[in-house]
Amino acid sequence: MIRRIVVALVALLCAVPAVAAPRVLLFHRATGFVHDSIPTAVAALDRLARERGLEPVASDDPAVFDEPMDYAAIVLVSTTTDPKRAESEWFVGPRRDALQRYVEGGGGVVAIHAAADSHYNWPWYAKMIGGRFAQHPPGVPEAEVTRSAERHPAIDTLPDKFRIPDEWYGFRDLSTGLDSLLTFDPQSIGASDVNPKPLAWAHRVGQGRVFYTGLGHRKENWADPRLLAHVGGALDWATGRAKAPAMVVIDEASTRVAEAPPHGQIGSGTAWRITDRVPGRTMEFRRRTLDRGAAIGLHRIDHDEVYQVVAGEGEVTSDGATRRIGAGTTVYLYSGATVGIAQRGTKPLALVVAYPMAAPVR
């Protein structure tokens, strides 16, 4: 009897279909300059994906973008086109719409090196990558690379500074709002410029996560543990599988931005965007000052918000009701209300603002 039960349980378990691993597209078409590192890079990326429980799908056939794009992430491996030949571009027609929907709808992209040297006839592509290749000095000299203070899986395990040989791109049309992850020192490769140059970054495009690194030109570098950790962390982030750090400590001085207040840009002020770059966050926490005459204009909120007045005086309005507020006042505002807040008196109105996010930001 027991033997029959065991046999039946084994049969039942064998009949349960295996859960398919999330797929990652390793796309490596190059119709401009063809990097000899591409096969080595694809093999390394294949291993990185499998180590993470992902199913790599390698292809250089643009027809893959004609099919449903059910990928956890798309890796663009030095996918060049010829800037002088529009016919060298493969993101055309419906494929453009498909990629844009995928990214802006929440997809992930990991763009490697010459992916920035591509699709010069499609402005949205440059916006997605974060910039365009402009030029590079000759050779593959060793440069000094510096890691930013950002917390990001693509750099969390890298040293603060390290030296590595590669091909060093300069960029144009860089997007605003990029989270800089790595820079390199141009003087370390013999250039006269004293300013650090962008090398790797991450940003959000719609709901999507896009990472770019200028590293990866040399095939030898794809055996370097630093590059593998860099790109592997980027893959974790782009697929949404990276875990948030146990703790994030923020120096508010590094988050300070002088700007007009949101919702009407009435007057001027200062914002401390304290939590904006915290991975996996579920809430926002900010400081803001409204200079004399400044206001956050009336706007509808879709979450509860809390304003605490630190200094100064003002007026807060919610659904037509207006109340005077001052230092020590806390205002709780409810989801669905139309709210605004204005500075009054002679001193700036200093606030602490907190509210939940609709979903964790990664």
Side-chain angles (χ1 to χ4, degrees):
M1 177 67 176
I2 293 176
R3 184 171 180 273
R4 285 200 300 272
I5 293 173
V6 170
V7 170
L9 286 172
V10 170
L12 179 62
L13 291 172
C14 291
V16 176
V19 177
R23 300 196 308 159
V24 173
L25 176 62
L26 310 179
F27 191 67
H28 54 93
R29 186 173 182 82
T31 55
F33 182 85
V34 180
H35 286 68
D36 65 2
S37 61
I38 289 175
T40 306
V42 170
L45 287 158
D46 184 288
R47 291 193 299 274
L48 288 172
R50 293 184 189 280
E51 289 169 1
R52 287 159 170 76
L54 302 167
E55 179 187 347
V57 179
S59 177
D60 67 351
D61 184 354
V64 296
F65 297 102
D66 299 331
E67 304 296 328
M69 296 173 63
D70 56 346
Y71 301 108
I74 295 171
V75 186
L76 301 174
V77 189
S78 285
T79 44
T80 59
T81 62
D82 187 338
K84 298 179 180 179
R85 296 173 50 243
E87 65 273 18
S88 69
E89 299 184 4
W90 58 85
F91 282 127
V92 293
R95 290 176 189 160
R96 289 187 176 186
D97 297 335
L99 182 65
Q100 189 166 346
R101 282 196 304 271
Y102 169 81
V103 174
E104 294 182 347
V109 172
V110 174
I112 306 294
H113 192 57
D117 183 18
S118 191
H119 284 81
Y120 289 86
N121 293 287
W122 188 17
W124 184 87
Y125 181 87
K127 175 185 174 184
M128 177 196 71
I129 295 293
R132 288 197 186 280
F133 163 75
Q135 81 291 315
H136 64 78
V140 286
E142 187 178 82
E144 182 178 84
V145 174
T146 299
R147 190 187 80 179
S148 81
E150 295 286 337
R151 290 298 308 268
H152 194 282
I155 58 173
D156 281 346
T157 63
L158 297 181
D160 291 340
K161 291 184 182 291
F162 59 96
R163 298 183 69 89
I164 189 170
D166 213 299
E167 185 178 64
W168 303 100
Y169 277 7
F171 301 94
R172 59 183 174 88
D173 302 332
L174 284 171
S175 299
T176 59
L178 300 177
D179 290 339
S180 175
L181 303 179
L182 297 177
T183 59
F184 74 92
D185 178 3
Q187 292 192 318
S188 68
I189 59 172
S192 59
D193 196 340
V194 299
N195 297 312
K197 297 298 182 184
L199 176 60
W201 56 75
H203 67 144
R204 304 287 296 212
V205 180
Q207 296 300 311
R209 297 172 293 272
V210 178
F211 163 89
Y212 171 82
T213 183
L215 295 172
H217 171 84
R218 298 173 72 247
K219 58 185 177 183
E220 295 84 357
N221 285 8
W222 287 98
D224 189 315
R226 296 168 299 182
L227 179 59
L228 296 176
H230 180 48
V231 176
L235 194 58
D236 290 335
W237 178 75
T239 57
R241 297 159 68 90
K243 293 182 180 178
M247 181 186 301
V248 178
V249 178
I250 302 161
D251 179 358
E252 72 173 29
S254 68
T255 70
R256 179 173 177 163
V257 179
E259 63 177 18
H263 308 294
Q265 297 188 328
I266 303 166
S268 61
T270 302
W272 288 262
R273 299 181 176 276
I274 294 171
T275 52
D276 271 14
R277 293 179 177 176
V278 175
R281 71 187 189 275
T282 58
M283 63 175 292
E284 293 286 28
F285 185 83
R286 295 181 178 177
R287 283 185 57 200
R288 183 176 293 277
T289 61
L290 302 178
D291 296 341
R292 290 185 64 179
I296 298 173
L298 291 172
H299 63 286
R300 187 179 184 278
I301 57 174
D302 57 5
H303 43 239
D304 290 6
E305 293 188 1
V306 177
Y307 291 174
Q308 183 179 32
V309 182
V310 178
E313 295 182 342
E315 291 180 345
V316 64
T317 299
S318 178
D319 279 351
T322 299
R323 291 281 301 274
R324 195 82 174 186
I325 53 175
T329 305
T330 299
V331 183
Y332 196 101
L333 299 164
Y334 291 92
S335 177
T338 298
V339 305
I341 187 166
Q343 184 274 344
R344 296 289 184 261
T346 60
K347 296 180 180 179
L349 177 63
L351 305 167
V352 172
V353 182
Y355 56 89
M357 307 290 293
V361 175
R362 300 193 181 279

